[in-house]
C-alpha cells in the first residue's frame, strides 16, 4: 500500500511562511510579567472600580520591572509599560481622594523630574491645577522644561504652553511665563503671539486688582492705630448725643 505523504509533508501556514525541517522552531518571546500586571491593574480600575487593588497591582508591576526586566523586549516597550502604570496609578490615587500623593508616587519610580514621561507630567499638571494647587508642580515642571534632553521632544511645546496656562499664569508668575515663551524655539510664531497676549491680559488684570486693593485699604487706614484718637473722640461725641437726647426726653416727660 502506498503511503500518502502529501498531507504529512504539507508546510504549516500562518507561521511566517513554510516551516522546513532544517529551520529551528522559534518560540514567541516571553512577555514581561509587568505587562500582565498592567492589564490586571487597568481591569481593576475601569471594570471593578477597585482603586486600592489597582494601585497595589501597579506597584507590584513596578517591582517586577525592577527585578525581571527581559533583555529581548523592544527598547520602547518598557518605557510604555512604565508610563501606562503611572497613568493607572495616578487615576487610582485621584479616585481615592489621595491626589496629594501623586507627585511623590511617580517620582519614587523616576527619581528625578527630568525623567518623567511627557504624558505623566501633563497629568500631574492637570490634576494639581484642577485641585487649585499648581504651586505643587511648579519646580518639577520647571526642572523638566529646562532639561536639554526634553527640549527636543515633540511634546515639549505643548507642555510648555500647558505649564504657562495652568501653572504660571494662575500663580502670577508672569515674568517667568514671558521668559519661557520668548526663549523657547518650541513655540511657533502664531502660538507665541497668542500666549504672549494671554500673559499681557493677565498682567493687566493683576494691575487692576492691585490698584483695587489699594483703594479698598484706604477706609481701613482710618481704623489703624494712628487714627485711634479720632475714633475715641467720635465715640465721646456719640455718648454726649445719647446723653443729651435722653436728658431732653426726660424733661419733656416731666412737663407733660
Amino acid at each position: 500500500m502506498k503511503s500518502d505523504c502529501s498531507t504529512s509533508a504539507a508546510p504549516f501556514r500562518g507561521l511566517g511562511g513554510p516551516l522546513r525541517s532544517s529551520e529551528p522552531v522559534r518560540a514567541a518571546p516571553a512577555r514581561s510579567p509587568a505587562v500582565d500586571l498592567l492589564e490586571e491593574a487597568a481591569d481593576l480600575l475601569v471594570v471593578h472600580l477597585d482603586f486600592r487593588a489597582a494601585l497595589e497591582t501597579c506597584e507590584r508591576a513596578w517591582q517586577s520591572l525592577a527585578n525581571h526586566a527581559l533583555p529581548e523586549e523592544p527598547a520602547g516597550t518598557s518605557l510604555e509599560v512604565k508610563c501606562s502604570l503611572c497613568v493607572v496609578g495616578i487615576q487610582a490615587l485621584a479616585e481615592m481622594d489621595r491626589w496629594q500623593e501623586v507627585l511623590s508616587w511617580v517620582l519614587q519610580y523616576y527619581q528625578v523630574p527630568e525623567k518623567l514621561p511627557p504624558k505623566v507630567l501633563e497629568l500631574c499638571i492637570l490634576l494639581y491645577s484642577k485641585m487649585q494647587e499648581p504651586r505643587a508642580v511648579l519646580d518639577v515642571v520647571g526642572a523638566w522644561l529646562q532639561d536639554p534632553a526634553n527640549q527636543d521632544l515633540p511634546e515639549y511645546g505643548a507642555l510648555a504652553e500647558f505649564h504657562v496656562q495652568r501653572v504660571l499664569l494662575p500663580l502670577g508668575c508672569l515674568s517667568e511665563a514671558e521668559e519661557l515663551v520668548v526663549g523657547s524655539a518650541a513655540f511657533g510664531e502664531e502660538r507665541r503671539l497668542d500666549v504672549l497676549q494671554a500673559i499681557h491680559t493677565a498682567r493687566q488684570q493683576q494691575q487692576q486688582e492691585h490698584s483695587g486693593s489699594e483703594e479698598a485699604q484706604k477706609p481701613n487706614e482710618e481704623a489703624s492705630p494712628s487714627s485711634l484718637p479720632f475714633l475715641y473722640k467720635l465715640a465721646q461725641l456719640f455718648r454726649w448725643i445719647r446723653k443729651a437726647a435722653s436728658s431732653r426726653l426726660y424733661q419733656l416727660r416731666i412737663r407733660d
Side-chain angles (χ1 to χ4, degrees), residues 236-250:
Q236 283 184 319
L237 178 62
F238 281 141
R239 282 197 295 269
W240 180 83
I241 292 174
R242 289 177 62 188
K243 183 178 179 180
S246 60
S247 176
R248 177 64 176 168
L249 180 61
Y250 177 73

Side-chain angles (χ1 to χ4, degrees), residues 23-248:
E23 296 179 355
V25 178
R26 295 182 181 179
R31 194 162 75 157
S32 170
V35 177
D36 296 325
L37 289 171
L38 170 60
E39 293 179 356
E40 180 183 346
D43 188 62
L44 288 167
L45 176 73
V46 178
V47 179
H48 301 284
L49 303 180
D50 192 341
F51 309 124
R52 184 179 300 278
L55 181 64
E56 292 173 352
T57 305
C58 287
E59 292 171 343
R60 285 165 48 209
W62 274 104
Q63 189 65 34
S64 174
L65 283 172
N67 298 334
H68 306 100
L70 297 179
E72 62 269 22
E73 287 183 335
T77 301
S78 178
L79 297 177
E80 292 176 1
V81 171
K82 290 178 179 179
C83 181
S84 299
L85 287 171
C86 281
V87 171
V88 174
I90 289 171
Q91 185 65 33
L93 285 168
E95 293 288 354
M96 292 188 291
D97 200 23
R98 292 168 55 187
W99 57 270
Q100 301 94 331
E101 304 173 33
V102 162
L103 203 54
S104 60
W105 187 80
V106 296
L107 285 175
Q108 72 176 320
Y109 298 114
Y110 285 96
Q111 306 301 322
V112 293
E114 293 85 347
K115 300 299 182 182
L116 290 173
K119 183 63 177 178
V120 172
L121 191 64
E122 180 186 0
L123 285 177
C124 289
I125 296 173
L126 181 63
L127 175 63
Y128 282 91
S129 63
K130 186 177 180 65
M131 302 307 296
Q132 299 183 355
E133 290 290 343
R135 190 172 296 278
V137 295
L138 178 63
D139 294 336
V140 170
V141 184
W144 192 94
L145 292 172
Q146 291 174 7
D147 187 70
N150 294 328
Q151 294 175 5
D152 294 329
L153 296 175
E155 301 92 346
Y156 183 87
L159 267 175
E161 182 175 348
F162 201 51
H163 179 54
V164 170
Q165 298 286 359
R166 293 281 188 156
V167 179
L168 296 180
L169 293 188
L171 291 176
C173 303
L174 306 184
S175 298
E176 291 86 344
E178 278 182 336
E179 182 179 351
L180 174 60
V181 175
V182 174
S184 175
F187 288 89
E189 193 60 32
E190 185 177 352
R191 290 307 305 151
R192 180 179 284 109
L193 291 176
D194 290 342
V195 178
L196 287 175
Q197 179 60 44
I199 296 172
H200 176 69
T201 302
R203 179 171 279 113
Q204 287 182 323
Q205 293 176 349
Q206 191 179 71
Q207 291 172 349
Q208 291 174 358
E209 291 172 0
H210 180 68
S211 60
S213 63
E214 288 181 346
E215 291 294 329
Q217 287 176 0
K218 288 182 179 180
N220 294 334
E221 291 174 357
E222 297 178 353
S224 63
S226 61
S227 63
L228 285 179
F230 169 78
L231 294 179
Y232 177 72
K233 292 177 182 177
L234 188 62
Q236 283 184 319
L237 178 62
F238 281 141
R239 282 197 295 269
W240 180 83
I241 292 174
R242 289 177 62 188
K243 183 178 179 180
S246 60
S247 176
R248 177 64 176 168

